[in-house]
Amino acid sequence: MRALAAIGVLTTHVAFQTRAVELPVLGPVLGRLDLAVALFFGLSGFLLWRPWVAAAHGAAPTPSVRRYLTHRFVRIWPAYLVVVVLVLTLLPDAKNADLTVWAANLTLTQVFVPLSLTAGLTQMWSLSVEVAFYALLPVIGWALLRLRVDRRIDHRVDHRVGGPTSADESGRAAWRIPALVALGVVSLGWAWVAMVLPVAAGVEPKNWVFGHLPWFVAGLVLAELVGAIELDDHRPVARWVRVVARVGAHRVWMGIALVSAYALACTPLAGPTGLGALAPWQFAVKMVLGAICGFALLAPLVLSARPFRVLTSRVMLALGRWSYGIFIWHLAVLAVVFPLFGILPFNGDFLVVWAITLGLTTGVSAASYAFIEEPARRWLRTRERSMWERRRDERSRDERSRDERSRDERSRDERSGSTVANQTVSETATSAGS
């Protein structure tokens, strides 16, 4: 699914730079593939929220924020650093960037720094939002863990009626999903807040993480649904939770929801495609429709046991491994395709440019995965394994030391007891002799 999202982003950028977005009917469909970002955000929300859901259900300890942030950094930054350095050093339209542009791109703060999105790297605004979500997630987790499932509640009895309390049926976990949905609904007002913020010219605060929370919330809600069904074995799941999960697992219904939401997103209701400005209400509508699309795409995958054979094919698994590379490299590759193959930008040839860009980007992404991304993660796994083994050895040494001290203390106690006993016998014999 990540591969599909990355290819969707690539496709909409190729459509824009070949003017395919101006085609009747097909143009808005291609232009609105920027909603693939909603799929990216929904995937991140689902996968990163699962450990917090497990902690809320008592099935796992609270996630280590330090370990979580370390893994996020190693997953994102090494390959990203290579892309930024190469683009800002070699790409003709970007190599004259000033220190501000360098600093903003290296720190993934482009959405906060005016005019820092540059050629070959403009798609990184969404990665900047993603990283802001990484930082925000532990805060949301801490807040919602206060609504954790309390297993002790299973044994509480309402003595007035002689039966289980209503809390037994669903516990406080039933409040977590509405709380997350409420968070997404409240964030829909961010577009109006963004209009009155005193920001520098060139900064678009609608593109901050608060404006895109509905897309992440779609994944968070899915994680909660899966957790309520899979992790809560000791109490019946609330009926409305089962109904929502059953609807989400139905491929036909989710397909209808996806097509309907995407069709509406291709109309002026969600604003213009491309670089046009969105009114606040259009931005809010786009967030809602994107959240529906993300939920409809992911729900059958995580709520149904039926396999998706296309997604588990070798080709899709490989593209999935390379998907991050496809996302971060494709605009730099696209910028090279036009002069390299003698194609004029904004002059048609959508299919040719798309095929060449996808092929070259896939090759570069495979190399990025093999030589940068996977070695970085392997290094982290090795480091964590060695740390775990060192801690295990330290615990073993501590346990042996405690055992040795305990044996020494028992031995001293036995020797002391024997001495006292001998003295007592001697005194008794002396007294008897007297």
Side-chain angles (χ1 to χ4, degrees):
M1 290 302 288
R2 251 197 294 261
L4 293 180
I7 293 172
V9 173
L10 179 150
T11 302
T12 196
H13 286 146
V14 172
F16 175 73
Q17 296 199 29
T18 57
R19 298 181 66 180
V21 292
E22 298 178 8
L23 295 173
V25 182
L26 183 60
V29 173
L30 294 174
R32 193 48 77 201
L33 280 174
D34 61 350
L35 287 185
V37 176
L39 179 55
F40 266 130
F41 289 175
L43 278 164
S44 292
F46 174 77
L47 295 171
L48 298 179
W49 192 240
R50 291 297 302 274
W52 293 92
V53 173
H57 286 265
T62 302
S64 166
V65 175
R66 180 179 178 180
R67 182 176 185 274
Y68 155 76
L69 293 177
T70 301
H71 275 253
R72 292 296 88 207
F73 179 84
V74 171
R75 180 69 185 97
I76 293 296
W77 202 71
Y80 174 78
L81 172 64
V82 175
V83 174
V84 170
V85 171
L86 290 180
V87 167
L88 295 183
T89 304
L90 301 177
L91 197 66
D93 293 337
K95 67 180 182 179
N96 294 321
D98 59 20
L99 186 59
T100 300
V101 173
W102 272 90
N105 281 274
L106 287 175
T107 58
L108 277 167
T109 55
Q110 301 96 314
V111 295
F112 306 108
V113 181
L115 306 178
S116 58
L117 290 171
T118 188
L121 300 172
T122 54
Q123 82 278 28
M124 302 303 185
W125 73 267
S126 61
L127 193 57
S128 180
V129 173
E130 179 103 7
V131 169
F133 174 73
Y134 294 162
L136 184 62
L137 186 70
V139 178
I140 301 174
W142 176 85
L144 287 188
L145 276 183
R146 302 177 74 87
L147 295 174
R148 73 165 62 241
V149 177
D150 189 349
R151 294 192 179 278
R152 291 173 301 177
I153 205 170
D154 293 342
H155 305 291
R156 289 168 54 188
V157 174
D158 188 342
H159 297 288
R160 292 173 298 176
V161 296
T165 64
S166 59
D168 284 335
E169 182 181 353
S170 58
R172 290 192 291 181
W175 291 100
R176 292 164 55 84
I177 295 176
L180 288 170
V181 173
L183 177 64
V185 171
V186 169
S187 71
L188 293 176
W190 177 255
W192 285 270
V193 175
M195 293 181 62
V196 299
L197 290 177
V199 296
V203 175
E204 179 51 85
K206 284 201 294 288
N207 284 340
W208 294 356
V209 65
F210 307 109
H212 290 83
L213 277 179
W215 293 359
F216 291 104
V217 165
L220 301 183
V221 169
L222 279 172
E224 290 288 348
L225 289 171
V226 173
I229 294 172
E230 293 182 354
L231 301 175
D232 214 354
D233 299 329
H234 298 284
R235 94 165 41 86
V237 178
R239 182 176 300 173
W240 68 269
V241 173
R242 287 196 177 278
V243 170
V244 174
R246 194 176 302 118
V247 171
H250 201 286
R251 298 185 182 187
V252 174
W253 294 346
M254 289 295 99
I256 293 172
L258 171 64
V259 172
S260 301
Y262 194 85
L264 289 173
C266 293
T267 69
L269 284 174
T273 58
L275 300 177
L278 277 69
W281 67 270
Q282 289 175 320
F283 184 83
V285 170
K286 183 179 178 180
M287 291 302 105
V288 171
L289 296 176
I292 294 173
C293 289
F295 186 93
L297 280 166
L298 295 176
L301 297 179
V302 302
L303 295 172
S304 171
R306 294 172 57 193
F308 281 73
R309 302 196 182 281
V310 172
L311 294 179
T312 56
S313 65
R314 288 188 175 185
V315 172
M316 290 307 300
L317 291 176
L319 290 173
R321 287 193 296 272
W322 306 333
S323 58
Y324 178 59
I326 293 173
F327 174 77
I328 62 177
W329 284 103
H330 77 273
L331 270 185
V333 173
L334 179 58
V336 174
V337 164
F338 289 110
L340 188 63
F341 290 88
I343 302 172
L344 293 176
F346 302 101
N347 200 39
D349 296 318
F350 166 74
L351 288 178
V352 174
V353 175
W354 181 84
I356 295 173
T357 303
L358 179 60
L360 292 179
T361 301
T362 301
V364 173
S365 303
S368 175
Y369 180 85
F371 297 111
I372 305 172
E373 298 171 48
E374 184 57 23
R377 290 196 288 179
R378 194 183 305 121
W379 169 84
L380 180 59
R381 288 194 296 268
T382 302
R383 181 174 178 271
E384 288 185 335
R385 188 181 303 115
S386 62
M387 290 177 60
W388 179 83
E389 291 174 350
R390 187 165 59 250
R391 289 171 183 166
R392 182 194 60 189
D393 294 341
E394 290 174 354
R395 285 195 299 269
S396 298
R397 286 195 298 270
D398 291 342
E399 290 174 359
R400 286 197 298 270
S401 298
R402 284 196 299 270
D403 291 342
E404 290 173 359
R405 287 196 300 269
S406 178
R407 284 197 299 269
D408 292 341
E409 290 173 358
R410 286 198 301 269
S411 178
R412 285 196 301 269
D413 291 343
E414 290 172 358
R415 289 196 299 270
S416 175
S418 176
T419 302
V420 170
N422 291 335
Q423 290 175 348
T424 304
V425 170
S426 300
E427 292 171 357
T428 304
T430 302
S431 300
S434 302

